Amino acid sequence: MNVSYKNEAALEVLLAGLAEQSAASGWKPARIFTRFLPLKNADRIAPVLHSGDAALPWTLVVTEGGVRYGIDMAAGYSHGLFMDQRKNRARLRMLKPKRVLNTFAHTCSFSVVAALGGAETLSVDLSRKWLDRGRQNLLLNDISDTGHRFLAEDTLELLPKLDPRKERFDAIILDPPTFSRGKNNRRWQVENDFEQLLNAALELAMPKCAILISTNCTKLDAASLERRARRCAKEQRLVADYVAGQPQIDFPPGHGASTLWMMVR
């Protein structure tokens, strides 16, 4: 288990709460890692083993719904699988799309579940390192990379280039970071640039396209995401249905990503 904290006082509260929950449930994590979350990305450090066997490997494979994913507990930003997206991964797998665009793909977990349903995928992320781990996740599930593309590109720069190529998708994953800088040092901020991203994605949407909109920005909940998505649909003269992401018992309100499925008609 990885416990992220922003100051020492918060860490003490989190560890005490974890100990209390473990005692009440009878479940105890084999290892606990702590990870400091600094204000600046440049100040990030690798997680620290707080308790458990130090001789165990820091890389391992976990299974979620029968799907295997590689995990690296030593990674400074993310171990490789965002647990607050597991219901959305299950939903995408159930939808069985044929062509999936996975933007800000990270380690490509959405691409993996789509591929298991027979989809072709295009995974886009600025980091080639994360995409390489995405390829490994395909291999962990005995999936050939045939029909699966990986592009280390800036998503906002790439999407307009896909339209002239007649690239079209029946499922699109939009899970951007709250803040980032692109390859040309272009500043991205989800609360200001959300509509630009969604409008570019809608240009690539086939009829009946399912679009997952997700953010960890605390200023954007599912209701505000829907209001903005409706504005974009109106601009594009599209009709869509909107389904808020399902709550998860281990992510109390205000924790985890806010998610919305935009189902284009």
Side-chain angles (χ1 to χ4, degrees):
M1 172 171 284
N2 202 326
V3 178
S4 300
Y5 66 99
K6 294 184 178 180
N7 55 64
E8 293 296 330
L11 177 60
E12 290 181 11
V13 171
L14 290 169
L15 291 174
L18 176 59
E20 182 179 346
Q21 185 181 37
S22 296
S25 65
W27 171 81
K28 182 180 179 180
R31 290 182 294 176
I32 299 175
F33 297 86
T34 59
R35 181 181 64 179
F36 175 62
L37 297 179
L39 292 176
K40 297 180 180 179
N41 290 345
D43 296 332
R44 287 177 178 165
I45 59 175
V48 175
L49 179 64
H50 176 266
S51 63
D53 189 350
L56 292 174
W58 284 51
T59 58
L60 63 153
V61 176
V62 299
T63 302
E64 175 191 273
V67 186
R68 292 159 61 84
Y69 302 98
I71 299 297
D72 183 0
M73 300 305 296
Y77 167 61
S78 165
H79 51 58
L81 187 67
F82 293 114
M83 298 308 299
D84 54 353
Q85 296 288 3
R86 65 180 181 271
K87 288 191 175 182
N88 289 321
R89 285 190 285 269
R91 185 183 185 94
L92 180 66
R93 190 175 183 184
M94 178 189 68
L95 288 172
K96 294 185 180 298
K98 300 300 182 185
R99 300 195 77 235
V100 176
L101 172 60
N102 185 9
T103 67
F104 310 97
H106 194 47
T107 58
C108 309
S109 61
F110 282 105
S111 302
V112 172
V113 295
L116 286 169
E120 296 180 359
T121 66
L122 173 57
S123 301
V124 184
D125 197 282
L126 272 174
S127 171
R128 196 174 300 278
K129 177 188 74 172
W130 291 128
L131 294 177
D132 287 342
R133 288 184 60 183
R135 287 189 177 91
Q136 293 170 11
N137 280 332
L138 286 179
L139 293 175
L140 283 173
N141 292 279
D142 298 319
I143 303 170
S144 165
D145 60 5
T146 302
H148 304 291
R149 294 175 289 162
F150 302 85
L151 293 179
E153 297 280 355
D154 183 310
T155 291
L156 281 175
E157 292 182 5
L158 176 67
L159 294 187
K161 299 176 185 177
L162 297 179
D163 186 23
R165 302 178 198 170
K166 305 299 181 183
E167 296 259 21
R168 295 294 182 269
F169 305 89
D170 59 349
I172 300 174
I173 307 300
L174 301 177
D175 184 15
T178 302
F179 303 97
S180 73
R181 289 191 180 274
K183 282 188 174 181
N184 297 321
N185 208 33
R186 178 181 48 78
R187 188 170 183 268
W188 155 271
Q189 189 170 0
V190 67
E191 60 185 295
N192 296 331
D193 302 320
F194 169 84
E195 284 88 349
Q196 179 188 2
L197 172 65
L198 181 54
N199 278 324
L202 287 171
E203 294 289 345
L204 308 175
M206 297 169 62
K208 308 293 184 183
C209 183
I211 302 176
L212 173 63
I213 303 166
S214 176
T215 181
N216 285 97
C217 178
T218 56
K219 297 180 181 179
L220 298 176
D221 58 12
S224 60
L225 287 176
E226 181 173 340
R227 286 193 296 272
R228 295 182 179 215
R230 285 183 180 275
R231 286 201 296 268
C232 292
K234 185 176 181 180
E235 291 176 18
Q236 300 276 349
R237 298 184 179 180
L238 294 173
V239 178
D241 297 313
Y242 302 88
V243 181
Q246 296 178 333
Q248 300 179 121
I249 191 170
D250 51 340
F251 285 90
H255 297 76
S258 297
T259 61
L260 177 77
W261 283 92
M262 180 180 185
M263 314 298 288
V264 178
R265 294 185 190 175

